[in-house]
Structures are given as structure tokens and as C-alpha cells.
């Protein structure tokens, strides 16, 4: 084990060995929090994807940024140890794991920060990087009547985890992703420095960390923009048989001014049959409603499209809601008779996927592998993508939602580390596979690879969201002309490549020079 730990290199270049047992490591780290031995069965070796499992050396439950800084500094004095922040482990491909390294359970810091900040007429909340978005929602709304503006569909994700990717949902067309809705961060860099950063203070670190896949620092606090929370939401689904009409209406809605459109716009593809997961029953919002397929024309194909929208209102606005919503719906070309709607409270709406998850868990095998695939596809290529991927490769569905909806590039900040397709409008595509029965997980992973390879082969303008690549060449292609900036940021903020090794972008090199990974 001592050999496994490698050497600690001291400033005077003398070598000493690190003891391998928890108590002596704990003593040398002098943590306020706690430390446990790594174990393949512990949470540090697992994630939502269920495709990878590697054993860390230690699982750290830090009390805050100071503890994280100590761990990173200790790792930097060895020749090989790495450090992975683990949010809520909702990655698919082991991105929050550290083989033989330290995994930091960020959830142990979730209560450290929660401060409501009115600043110059705007409102913000300071929250911990390890806080779950569902807690941010419920605490913000119940205490202050305010809420963040941009969300993910599912809220049992941590603030630091989604900010390290982007954080996208049906509000992003208006406010941008979550990375566009944060004004200040506290970060522990790969050098172990605790640094405050913003657009004007240490801005390269600030923008680097946003969408930075955990490569440049561990987010310990984030300042999030808020808006007044509405009381209620009218949540509506309408159905299309033609992709061109679906995209025309979705693009129309996301390009209207605030106040002249819905407050949330998403969409999904489903099968034109009665399959309970992939077909008609996946559309109605109210369990009392039934999808009536007689409204669908005989000429419709095997795949249909559902536009999902929501309209926010306050209880006092109730009398005017019908007029506003019907005015908007009147401009859309969905299949007449195929509309489903419910009115729910704002928090119930935002917690809709958490509720669905609880139902799935209660009704059957919840914890199987999830070989999910997420992409951003340029508007210029989305018709081709629909024809080849949805209508051909995935015509029988994926055993779960197949999301597709448009986003606007101008709402994203180019200075962050996120990379996007060209052009103002692009679509997020999410293949959310649940596989209790059906094809083997290997087949589904192979199908994901086939889709990505096809996108590359035909030169589609696309990027993976929540990317997962195995080779340096793939990462270079993914980042394109942003690759050199990404490497420079790594050299500045984590020059020994200590952080987030599970992303497989850089590897620690004993000579302390970062090199991108070759497999
Ligand atoms: P983890 O999986 O624990 O970590 C992800 C990466 O971020 C790792 O590399 C980790 O080292 C790093 N990291 C974690 N915390 C920090 C931190 N504090 N500082 C720096 N780096 C950190 N995404 C969307 O955009 N929209 C959605 O609607 C959406 N829905 C989802 C629903 C489900 C059921 C699942 C499983 C995922 C969904 N995602 C969605 C994807 C999700 O945003 C990412 O998987 C995200 O990384 C998960 O957050 P986490 O807290 O579990 O992070």
C-alpha cells in the first residue's frame, strides 16, 4: 500500500513515505471532517451510469474548503495521487471517480453556505458547491419567495456538479444554462489555493471552472442569480406527427421576447404505438387522461414528437392565464385533440422528475445501468439527425425519454469551458435509457457509439454534452479551437493534473508536466 501511495516530495526534495492507514493520514491532514478507507462497494466507486467502478484509496468527507485544500496539497506532494470531487454521483461514465486516489464527498459540505443577498436591486443566493438543487429550490422559495432562474430537469444533482458541465433545462432558452446564472464562485484549485473568482476577479479561473468538467478547481460556493418565484405553472404537452412542424413551433417559441412566450420549452420523441415506456402512454400529464391515437393521421410515421411547455403565473393572475396560454397555443400547429395540461405549484413542477424517479423506484428495479447519451446538435443538421437516428436507429425507442429541444447560443457565455455547435440555434438531444429488460447494456453502449461515430463520419455539427471520450484525439476534436485554451487553463490551475481524473482528459505525470491522456 505504501508503494501504491507513491512518494511525498518535499520542498527540499527529500523523500518521505506516507503512512497508509486512515488514522495517520487523518492526522497528517488535520481535517475538520472525516476520512474513510476506499472500498469498491462504497459510494465513491459508484455512479448513476453503473458502467464503471474503480476503487479509491480514501473517501474524504470534508467540513469545507480548508479540508479540500489540505487534501489537494497533500496529493500534490506525492507523485501520483489524484483528487475527484464527487457531487451526487449522477455521472454516467465514472467522471467523479479517482482510481487509487482521494474522492471528496461534496455532500458533506452542503449546509455550509446559504445566504440570501439583495445587491443593487437584484437578488442572489450563496450556496455550497455540494448543495442539492432540490434543497436550494425548497429553501429559497419557502424562506424568501425567490428561486434560481435556470434549472436542470432533475434536481437531486449538486450545484458544483451541474456547474462543472452546464446545467440545462426548459428555461435555458431564455436565461441560458446554469453556468450563465452564476456571478461568483469560491474554488479550491489544483494547487490547493482557495480562490474567490467572478467575471472581474480571477476571471480566467471563473470562466474556466464553469463547464470545466472539474479540471481546474473544486467549487465550494456559488452565487446564483434569483428571480421572484411564481406560485403556479400551467404545464402543457402537445403532439406533432411531422418533425418540421415540431421544430418550427419550438424554434418560434424560444425566439420570442420574454412575456410573449412560454417560460419553459422542451420536447421529446416517442413511438407511434402503445408501448408503456416509449409510446402513447408516455404523453398524458394527468393519469386520468388517455392518449387518443385516432387523432393521428394514417400517414404518420413510426415516430411522433411532443412539445412540452409551461407558463408561470401568480395566484392573483389566474383569470388572465387562459387568455395568455390560448393565445400562444393558437399560434402552434400541433395535432388537434392531442393536448394534455395540468396546473401545478411551481415547486411541484420543478420537482416533477424527482417524483417520477420515486415512482420508478417504488415500482421496480431502479438501480440498473444507465447508458445515457447527451448531445448538442446544430439546427442545420437536426433534420438529418432525426431521419437517421430517431427514425431509423432508435425507431423502437430507448426504454425511457428521448428529449429534443432547441437552445440559443447567444444565451451561453463563450468564455466558459463549455463547447457548442456553430450557429445560433442548436438542439439538446438526451437519450435517457432505462434498461431493466431488453437489449444488454453492452449493446446499448455500442449503439451510443454507433450514433456518435455516425455523427463524426457525416461531419455533423455536434458536441457531446457530459462528454466521455477515451483518447486524446477525441478530446482535441471535441474542444476544437478551444483545446489550447483548455490545456492552458489546466497548466495554470491544476498543473500536476490532480483533479477529476475520471474525466480521462489529462493524466498525472510523475515529472509534473501535464500531458493529455493517451490510451
Ligand atoms: P457528479 O456526477 O458527482 O460529478 C460530475 C463531475 O463534476 C465530476 O467530474 C466531478 O469530479 C465534478 N464535480 C462534482 N462536484 C464538483 C464541484 N463541487 N466542483 C468541481 N467539480 C465537481 N444535466 C442537465 O444539464 N440537465 C438535466 O436536466 C439533467 N438531468 C439529469 C437527470 C439525471 C437522473 C441524471 C443522472 C443526470 C442528469 N443531468 C442533467 C446530468 C448532470 O447534470 C450531470 O451528471 C452532473 O455532473 C451530475 O451532478 P452530480 O452532482 O451528481 O455530479
Amino acid at each position: 500500500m505504501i508503494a501504491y501511495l507513491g512518494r511525498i516530495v518535499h520542498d527540499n526534495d527529500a523523500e518521505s513515505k506516507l503512512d497508509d492507514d486512515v488514522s495517520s493520514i487523518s492526522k497528517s491532514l488535520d481535517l475538520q471532517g472525516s476520512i474513510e478507507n476506499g472500498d469498491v462497494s462504497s459510494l465513491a466507486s459508484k455512479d448513476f451510469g453503473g458502467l464503471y467502478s474503480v476503487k479509491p484509496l480514501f473517501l474524504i468527507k470534508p467540513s469545507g474548503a480548508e479540508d479540500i485544500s489540505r487534501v489537494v496539497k497533500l496529493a500534490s506532494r506525492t507523485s501520483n495521487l489524484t483528487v475527484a470531487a464527487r457531487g451526487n454521483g449522477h455521472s454516467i461514465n465514472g467522471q467523479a471517480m479517482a482510481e487509487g486516489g482521494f474522492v471528496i464527498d461534496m455532500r458533506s459540505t452542503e449546509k455550509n453556505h446559504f445566504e440570501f443577498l439583495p445587491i443593487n436591486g437584484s437578488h442572489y443566493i450563496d450556496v455550497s458547491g455540494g448543495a442539492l438543487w432540490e434543497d436550494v429550490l425548497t429553501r429559497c422559495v419557502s424562506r424568501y419567495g425567490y428561486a434560481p432562474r435556470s434549472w436542470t430537469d432533475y434536481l437531486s444533482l449538486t450545484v458544483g456538479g451541474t456547474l462543472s458541465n452546464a446545467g440545462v433545462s426548459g428555461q435555458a432558452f431564455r436565461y441560458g444554462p446554469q453556468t450563465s446564472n452564476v456571478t461568483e464562485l469560491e474554488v479550491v484549485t489544483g494547487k490547493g489555493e482557495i480562490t474567490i473568482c467572478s467575471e472581474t476577479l480571477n476571471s480566467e479561473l471563473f470562466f474556466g471552472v464553469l463547464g470545466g468538467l472539474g479540471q481546474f478547481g473544486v467549487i465550494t460556493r456559488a452565487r446564483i442569480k434569483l428571480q421572484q418565484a411564481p406560485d403556479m405553472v400551467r404545464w402543457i404537452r402537445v403532439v406533432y406527427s411531422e418533425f418540421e412542424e415540431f421544430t418550427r413551433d419550438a424554434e418560434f417559441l424560444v425566439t420570442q421576447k420574454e412575456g410573449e412566450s412560454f417560460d419553459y420549452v422542451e420536447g421529446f420523441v416517442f413511438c407511434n404505438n402503445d408501448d408503456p415506456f416509449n409510446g402513447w402512454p408516455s404523453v398524458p400529464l394527468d393519469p386520468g387522461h388517455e392518449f387518443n391515437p385516432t387523432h393521428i393521421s394514417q400517414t404518420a410515421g413510426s415516430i411522433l414528437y411532443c412539445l412540452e411547455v409551461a407558463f408561470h403565473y401568480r395566484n392573483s393572475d389566474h383569470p388572465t392565464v387562459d387568455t395568455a396560454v390560448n393565445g400562444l397555443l393558437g399560434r402552434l400547429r400541433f395535432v388537434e385533440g392531442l393536448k394534455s395540461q395540468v396546473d401545478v405549484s411551481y415547486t411541484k413542477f420543478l420537482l416533477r422528475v424527482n417524483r417520477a424517479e420515486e415512482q420508478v423506484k417504488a415500482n421496480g428495479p431502479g438501480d440498473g445501468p444507465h447508458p445515457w447519451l447527451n448531445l448538442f446538435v446544430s439546427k442545420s443538421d437536426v433534420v438529418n439527425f432525426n431521419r437517421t437516428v430517431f427514425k431509423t436507429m432508435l425507431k423502437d425507442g430507448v426504454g425511457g425519454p428521448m428529449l429534443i429541444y432547441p437552445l440559443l447560443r447567444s444565451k451561453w457565455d463563450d468564455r466558459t469551458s463549455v463547447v457548442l455547435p456553430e450557429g445560433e440555434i442548436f438542439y439538446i438531444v438526451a437519450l435517457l435509457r432505462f434498461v431493466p429488460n431488453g437489449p444488454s447494456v453492452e449493446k446499448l453502449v455500442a449503439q451510443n457509439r454507433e450514433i456518435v461515430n455516425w455523427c463524426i463520419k457525416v461531419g455533423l455539427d455536434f458536441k457531446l454534452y457530459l462528454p466521455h471520450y477515451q483518447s486524446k484525439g477525441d478530446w482535441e476534436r471535441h474542444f476544437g479551437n478551444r483545446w489550447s485554451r483548455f490545456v492552458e487553463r489546466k497548466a495554470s490551475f491544476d498543473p500536476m493534473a490532480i483533479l477529476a481524473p475520471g474525466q480521462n482528459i489529462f493524466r498525472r505525470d510523475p515529472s509534473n508536466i501535464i500531458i493529455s491522456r493517451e490510451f
Side-chain angles (χ1 to χ4, degrees), residues 76-113:
S76 73
R77 299 204 315 275
T78 71
S79 58
N80 58 347
L81 288 183
T82 54
V83 177
R86 184 183 196 273
N88 205 26
H90 274 56
S91 290
I92 300 300
N93 295 293
Q95 285 95 332
M97 295 180 193
E99 186 164 14
F102 294 99
V103 170
I104 302 203
D105 179 5
M106 295 303 294
R107 293 283 308 279
S108 71
T109 67
E110 65 192 341
K111 300 275 184 275
N112 286 9
H113 303 279

Side-chain angles (χ1 to χ4, degrees), residues 48 85-91 95-96 106 129 152-154 157-158 160-162 164-165 167-168 213-214 217-219 372 465-466 500 503:
F48 182 84
R86 184 183 196 273
N88 205 26
H90 274 56
S91 290
Q95 285 95 332
M106 295 303 294
T152 47
D153 293 343
Y154 174 70
L157 307 170
T158 63
T162 68
S164 299
N165 286 292
V168 185
L213 308 175
V218 177
I219 300 168
W372 288 11
Y465 176 48
L466 314 168
Q503 296 279 2

Side-chain angles (χ1 to χ4, degrees), residues 439-514:
S440 69
V441 69
E442 290 77 16
K443 277 200 176 137
L444 300 174
V445 169
Q447 190 178 48
N448 286 345
R449 203 172 309 119
E450 192 193 345
I451 293 168
V452 175
N453 287 345
W454 173 78
C455 292
I456 295 169
K457 193 174 114 209
V458 299
L460 224 67
D461 181 17
F462 85 105
K463 297 290 177 194
L464 284 190
Y465 176 48
L466 314 168
H468 169 63
Y469 285 115
Q470 298 286 355
S471 74
K472 181 185 173 214
D474 282 336
W475 281 113
E476 279 188 24
R477 189 186 41 72
H478 173 76
F479 283 103
N481 60 13
R482 302 284 161 80
W483 174 242
S484 56
R485 184 180 71 178
F486 201 78
V487 173
E488 279 159 26
R489 284 175 170 171
K490 189 71 174 173
S492 301
F493 304 118
D494 181 23
M496 295 169 80
I498 286 168
L499 298 177
Q503 296 279 2
N504 281 334
I505 307 173
F506 302 99
R507 71 176 160 85
R508 269 208 82 171
D509 179 63
S511 65
N512 294 348
I513 299 162
I514 56 155

Side-chain angles (χ1 to χ4, degrees), residues 155-175:
L155 304 190
S156 293
L157 307 170
T158 63
V159 169
T162 68
L163 291 179
S164 299
N165 286 292
V168 185
S169 185
Q171 306 82 10
F173 78 90
R174 176 165 300 148
Y175 300 117

